[in-house]
Amino acid sequence: MTATLFANARLLDGTTDREGHVLVEDGRIREISDKPLNSAAARTVDLRGRTLMPGLIDAHVHVIASEVNLARHALLPDALVAFRAAKIMHGMLMRGFTTLRDLGGATNGLRLARDEGHFDAPRMIICGKAISATGGHSDGRGRHDSRDMAYLEARLGCLGRLADGVDAVRRACREEIKAGADYIKIMANGGVASPTDPIAFLGYSKDEMRAAVEEAAMAQTYVAAHLYTDEAIARAVECGVHSLEHCNLITEATARTAAKAGAIACPTLVTYEALKSEGASLGLDAVSVGKIDTVRLAGLESLEKMHRAGLTMAFGTDLLGEMHRHQSDEFTIRGRVLPAIEVIRSTTIHAAKLLRMEGQVGTLAAGAFADLIVVDGDPLKDLSLLTNQGRHLPAIMLDGRFVKDQLAA
């Protein structure tokens, strides 16, 4: 494997911001130094005036979601869903995202295809199917649809599965972990893109949530929960849920409780902006469109509350269908109310902590995967340099290999 020496780079990963030199060998960062490095075998690239960062991490995506209408999407042929997912993930990679955490839908088979090199895509952390109660956020059937969910759950295009009662939740968790899930995802609140659950609905009883948390703990992992309302978030934290998705309607008091418990939040504000402007035209039903503002209008305020409370926040987007192209806009949305360094940390060190991949991704450190991006300019002064479909990223490296290279030798 070709070695690369990045010289005279500004190094930025959320913990360091300095000038330095980085040697990449065999897919890893071999050495970082404040002094010039030498390697006869390496291609040397002078990054003076540019910023070198670890590859970005999106901790809340749905890579199989190629359409906004998820009920219709669940009926698509598996092969079509898989090929579309490969294209969606390649788009993420070209925006600088080298690691992603899928929150429902991606399978171990899709990850194996990526790992075998059938397509270029970010590293994948998966939960398999998201687990929901009947009528909850994974139930795409309308009020008059009495089809058995088992048929839909078996399809790649279906993001979730149903489990009612403690025993059923336990079995669902065990089946997803057996199938290759890295963690468990449950739906603990109502949602926008589902037809029969208003936002305030509490998706699971405490006993059911505790069962999921126990099953995850026995498998040496954690539970992520779809959550909007303060009541739902407080219940989830009480039950031991670690990863708090969305959190638009959280109070500062609950955010402090969550922070004390060691939980991590993963807001996803860009999806509500995109759904508001494009959802209906892309097939989102009227009931779902009517629920968007309930969570959208509170988004920025929720970031301020969580920041003041000291609750760690990872970077997430949660986009669907053609709206995946807005992925990087999450940076500038967060930058309206948060310090730029906190936004950078959300997609590097904080996200790596949530994924339990500290020291491997989201960092510029010896031994870490050589997943790197080069930025023209200073993202701390202008977060929009991380947007525009990778326009300001002349180089993207994955596992020590350039997947985009517009650098002069």
Side-chain angles (χ1 to χ4, degrees):
M1 185 176 289
T2 304
T4 304
L5 175 57
F6 295 102
N8 305 307
R10 182 196 179 179
L11 309 179
L12 176 64
D13 68 357
T15 60
T16 188
D17 182 6
R18 69 184 197 277
E19 298 295 319
H21 310 265
V22 177
L23 177 62
V24 170
E25 291 180 348
D26 300 324
R28 300 271 182 172
I29 296 176
R30 184 64 55 201
E31 187 177 358
I32 297 180
S33 176
D34 295 333
K35 298 179 180 179
L37 297 172
N38 294 299
S39 172
R43 168 194 173 189
T44 299
V45 180
D46 190 343
L47 293 185
R48 195 177 305 276
R50 288 168 164 161
T51 301
L52 184 68
M53 293 178 60
L56 309 174
I57 303 169
D58 191 332
H60 191 126
V61 300
H62 295 285
V63 301
I64 68 160
S66 59
E67 294 187 4
V68 175
N69 187 319
L70 298 180
R72 185 174 65 199
H73 187 270
L75 297 171
L76 294 176
D78 286 2
L80 180 60
V81 173
F83 277 100
R84 286 181 175 180
K87 184 177 181 179
I88 287 169
M89 284 189 279
H90 185 264
M92 293 178 176
L93 183 60
M94 291 299 100
R95 296 181 200 106
F97 292 93
T98 56
T99 302
L100 58 85
R101 184 181 67 149
D102 189 273
L103 270 288
T107 63
N108 196 47
L110 193 61
R111 177 166 57 185
L112 286 173
R114 178 264 180 207
D115 291 348
E116 288 183 1
H118 297 294
F119 52 89
D120 280 335
R123 300 179 189 279
M124 297 171 64
I125 304 299
I126 66 171
C127 67
K129 301 287 189 187
I131 302 169
S132 165
T134 295
H137 192 44
S138 286
D139 192 342
R141 301 171 299 172
R143 297 202 181 278
H144 308 296
D145 185 348
S146 58
R147 287 175 296 176
D148 187 343
M149 270 293 291
Y151 170 75
L152 296 174
E153 291 170 353
R155 306 181 70 86
L156 180 59
C158 186
L159 275 66
R161 61 182 292 177
L162 304 187
D164 296 307
V166 168
D167 290 344
V169 169
R170 288 189 183 279
R171 183 180 183 89
C173 292
R174 292 175 184 180
E175 288 179 346
E176 294 304 330
I177 290 167
K178 174 183 176 293
D182 299 298
Y183 68 101
I184 294 297
K185 164 74 178 300
I186 64 172
M187 302 300 195
N189 227 174
V192 171
S194 41
T196 62
D197 57 335
I199 296 297
F201 270 31
L202 301 174
Y204 270 128
S205 70
K206 291 181 180 180
D207 286 344
E208 289 168 315
M209 283 194 286
R210 289 190 179 106
V213 169
E214 184 178 24
E215 291 298 327
M218 290 193 297
Q220 310 302 301
T221 189
Y222 65 92
V223 170
H226 164 92
L227 298 159
Y228 287 127
T229 67
D230 191 67
E231 180 185 13
I233 298 165
R235 290 171 82 248
V237 171
E238 178 187 342
C239 293
V241 170
H242 177 64
S243 181
L244 311 174
E245 309 304 310
H246 314 304
C247 298
N248 297 57
L249 304 175
I250 196 170
T251 64
E252 195 167 335
T254 295
R256 285 194 298 269
T257 300
K260 186 176 180 180
I264 297 176
C266 190
T268 59
L269 301 192
V270 67
T271 192
Y272 310 111
E273 297 296 331
L275 284 170
K276 178 68 174 178
S277 60
E278 301 177 20
S281 66
L282 294 175
L284 193 67
D285 63 83
V287 173
S288 295
V289 169
K291 292 191 277 187
I292 294 171
D293 277 351
T294 304
V295 291
R296 182 183 71 89
L297 297 175
L300 290 177
E301 187 178 357
S302 73
L303 295 185
E304 294 175 305
K305 291 174 181 176
M306 289 186 281
H307 183 57
R308 287 195 300 266
L311 178 57
T312 299
M313 289 180 277
F315 182 100
T317 55
D318 194 29
L319 291 159
L320 308 172
E322 295 179 27
M323 293 181 287
H324 283 291
R325 72 187 190 281
H326 297 301
Q327 183 179 27
S328 302
D329 293 340
E330 182 77 15
F331 288 110
T332 52
I333 291 173
R334 294 190 185 207
R336 296 174 195 168
V337 296
L338 295 178
I341 187 61
E342 278 303 307
V343 181
I344 296 296
R345 287 170 179 154
S346 74
T347 194
T348 54
I349 58 173
H350 292 341
K353 182 179 180 180
L354 178 57
L355 273 55
R356 298 188 172 184
M357 295 184 71
E358 294 166 284
Q360 300 180 72
V361 298
T363 185
L364 297 175
F369 288 120
D371 298 347
L372 303 166
I373 63 171
V374 176
V375 186
D376 280 330
D378 182 357
L380 287 181
K381 293 181 179 178
D382 183 4
L383 286 169
S384 71
L385 294 175
L386 300 176
T387 66
N388 288 306
Q389 312 306 317
R391 182 180 304 169
H392 305 290
L393 309 181
I396 300 169
M397 177 175 276
L398 180 66
D399 202 27
R401 174 175 62 91
F402 283 105
V403 292
K404 178 181 180 181
D405 185 1
Q406 298 175 350
L407 298 170

